[in-house]
Amino acid sequence: MNQRIKRTLNRTIVAITITLIATISYSCGGGKAENQVSVEQIEQARERARNAARRFVNREVKDTFELQMLLVEAASERSVYDSLPQCREAFDSTFISTVRTVRPDVAAELQSHLPRNQQQ
């Protein structure tokens, strides 16, 4: 093979290798995109919180067990956002705000059980 063709081939292989390594490291968490949360994701968390809060306040509960089950349902909705702190905070604040609008007494009770850094 011609010396010029060998150099061009080597440069092409090196360029492809670098591109592949960069792509693989980015997709495995090397990039910042995974840590960023979009406005749409935050809005989706708020909408899910509103829906969960509406279901929560619109049901009549007969006992504390039924109330706990409703809270577990809301927590399962929230668990989707455990790895996304901004979305989790948006869910929590929207859930409490929605409950506070309809049932301020229940919202106060729920807030009293939150960790201090999550209370509004």
Side-chain angles (χ1 to χ4, degrees):
M1 249 197 253
N2 184 335
Q3 198 67 335
R4 185 172 158 204
I5 295 173
K6 282 184 179 180
R7 272 187 265 149
T8 304
L9 187 59
N10 284 338
R11 287 181 185 158
T12 305
I13 292 171
V14 168
I16 291 171
T17 304
I18 290 172
T19 304
L20 284 173
I21 290 172
T23 302
I24 291 169
S25 69
Y26 185 79
S27 67
C28 292
K32 292 183 180 180
E34 193 173 305
N35 297 329
Q36 295 176 348
V37 177
S38 70
V39 174
E40 291 84 17
Q41 287 174 304
I42 292 174
E43 191 51 43
Q44 181 186 29
R46 288 181 179 141
E47 186 59 34
R48 287 181 84 163
R50 280 187 211 88
N51 292 336
R54 286 182 192 124
R55 285 191 305 272
F56 178 76
V57 297
N58 288 329
R59 285 199 187 151
E60 285 293 321
V61 292
K62 298 173 186 145
D63 55 16
T64 56
F65 178 74
E66 198 170 336
L67 178 64
Q68 288 175 343
M69 292 306 297
L70 290 174
L71 288 172
V72 167
E73 286 178 26
S76 70
E77 287 278 330
R78 179 191 184 267
S79 69
V80 173
Y81 303 108
D82 283 348
S83 63
L84 303 168
Q86 290 175 315
C87 290
R88 185 180 60 233
E89 290 170 14
F91 185 97
D92 289 348
S93 65
T94 303
F95 183 85
I96 292 291
S97 295
T98 305
V99 172
R100 186 183 305 123
T101 301
V102 180
R103 304 270 312 266
D105 55 326
V106 174
E109 184 66 26
L110 289 175
Q111 271 191 298
S112 71
H113 295 289
L114 287 175
R116 288 280 179 217
N117 61 350
Q118 288 185 336
Q119 291 183 3
Q120 296 177 351

